[in-house]
């Protein structure tokens, strides 16, 4: 528990799946950190959670992914920024956020059904409603793609929500929140999509 309890503001930490899993499910990307060949490495990745594990994918030719498969542990971090907190002093400016730090041992997914289910779920997370619209994934494509899962062995969330914390200062200055709202824009057609109507799942 010691490394999943932050040294600063430990009361903001949460160790329950009911808090941690929704943050992982909302996040599209994470950072995976590990030590390989005596060097610290950190790689951005898309992520998917199914049950009590995170799933990742890459080309079977990826040296990075092949090295992960032999590691005892990786550290994965996710941060969702919700608002900039504007206080009366720069010192008290902050961010409202939801974050997760977790550790686990990478495993190669060899079972074809589990691998297929992970690819489908990740595709649906990134582009909801698209899997049945797309051309079916072929066995050749499956063979060219490596799937890795990291069972969630240790994890904690840290959350900061609320107004600025310098209310004891009575200076007449504006304080408040500037929301940060990630959103998907209208899809832009590619060069081969001319004349093809936008699919309903992308509207």
């Amino acid at each position: 528990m010691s490394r999943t309890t932050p040294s600063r503001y430990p009361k903001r930490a949460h160790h329950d799946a009911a808090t941690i899993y929704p943050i992982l499910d909302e996040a599209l990307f994470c950072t995976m950190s590990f030590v390989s060949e005596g060097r610290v490495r950190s790689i951005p990745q898309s992520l998917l959670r199914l049950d009590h594990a995170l799933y990742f994918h890459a080309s079977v030719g990826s040296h990075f992914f092949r090295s992960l498969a032999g590691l005892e542990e990786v550290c994965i971090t996710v941060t969702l920024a919700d608002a900039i907190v504007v206080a009366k002093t720069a010192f008290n400016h902050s961010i409202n956020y939801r974050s997760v730090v977790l550790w686990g041992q990478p495993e190669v997914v060899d079972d074809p059904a589990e691998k297929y289910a992970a690819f489908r779920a990740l595709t649906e997370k990134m582009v909801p409603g698209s899997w049945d619209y797309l051309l079916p994934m072929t066995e050749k494509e499956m063979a060219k793609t490596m799937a890795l899962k990291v069972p969630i062995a240790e994890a904690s969330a840290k959350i900061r929500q609320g107004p600025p914390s310098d209310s004891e200062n009575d200076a007449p200055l504006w304080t408040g929140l500037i929301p940060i709202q990630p959103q998907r824009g209208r899809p832009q057609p590619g060069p081969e999509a001319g004349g093809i109507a936008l699919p309903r799942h992308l509207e």
Side-chain angles (χ1 to χ4, degrees):
M1 185 72 73
S2 61
R3 66 177 179 176
T4 58
T5 300
S7 59
R8 184 148 175 83
Y9 299 120
K11 291 183 179 180
R12 294 180 181 174
H14 303 262
H15 298 92
D16 58 297
T19 301
I20 294 169
Y21 286 3
I23 298 173
L24 297 175
D25 293 343
E26 183 176 341
L28 297 179
F29 306 102
C30 69
T31 300
M32 182 184 294
S33 301
F34 55 99
V35 176
S36 177
E37 299 174 349
R39 302 182 65 181
V40 178
R41 305 174 190 272
S42 189
I43 306 293
Q45 284 281 298
S46 58
L47 81 156
L48 167 75
R49 182 191 65 85
L50 292 176
D51 297 325
H52 305 296
L54 297 184
Y55 286 78
F56 305 91
H57 75 290
S59 166
V60 293
S62 169
H63 171 73
F64 147 63
F65 246 49
R66 290 199 307 271
S67 67
L68 283 177
L71 296 180
E72 293 185 1
E73 187 176 66
V74 295
C75 179
I76 297 166
T77 58
V78 166
T79 301
L80 301 175
D82 296 317
I84 299 171
V85 180
V86 181
K88 294 179 181 180
T89 65
F91 178 81
N92 283 315
H93 275 32
S94 189
I95 298 290
N96 280 347
Y97 64 90
R98 292 162 290 147
S99 66
V100 170
V101 178
L102 64 90
W103 289 265
Q105 183 174 17
E107 303 173 6
V108 176
V109 179
D110 292 319
D111 178 64
E114 182 181 6
K115 189 175 177 182
Y116 182 89
F119 290 158
R120 175 171 184 160
L122 178 61
T123 302
E124 284 292 301
K125 179 179 181 179
M126 292 294 178
V127 188
S130 66
W131 185 262
D132 292 333
Y133 175 83
L134 301 171
L135 296 173
M137 192 169 192
T138 66
E139 291 185 8
K140 185 176 181 180
E141 291 170 337
M142 286 274 288
K144 286 184 175 181
T145 309
M146 182 178 178
L148 203 72
K149 75 175 179 180
V150 178
I152 302 172
E154 295 179 63
S156 70
K158 190 176 181 184
I159 298 173
R160 197 273 188 208
Q161 300 290 307
S165 60
D166 58 356
S167 57
E168 71 280 356
N169 189 319
D170 59 3
L173 298 173
W174 188 92
T175 64
L177 304 177
I178 301 174
I180 300 172
Q181 299 176 338
Q183 64 181 44
R184 304 183 186 209
R186 182 168 179 78
Q188 303 296 311
E192 297 183 5
I196 299 177
L198 188 68
R200 181 169 296 179
H201 68 275
L202 294 178
E203 292 178 352

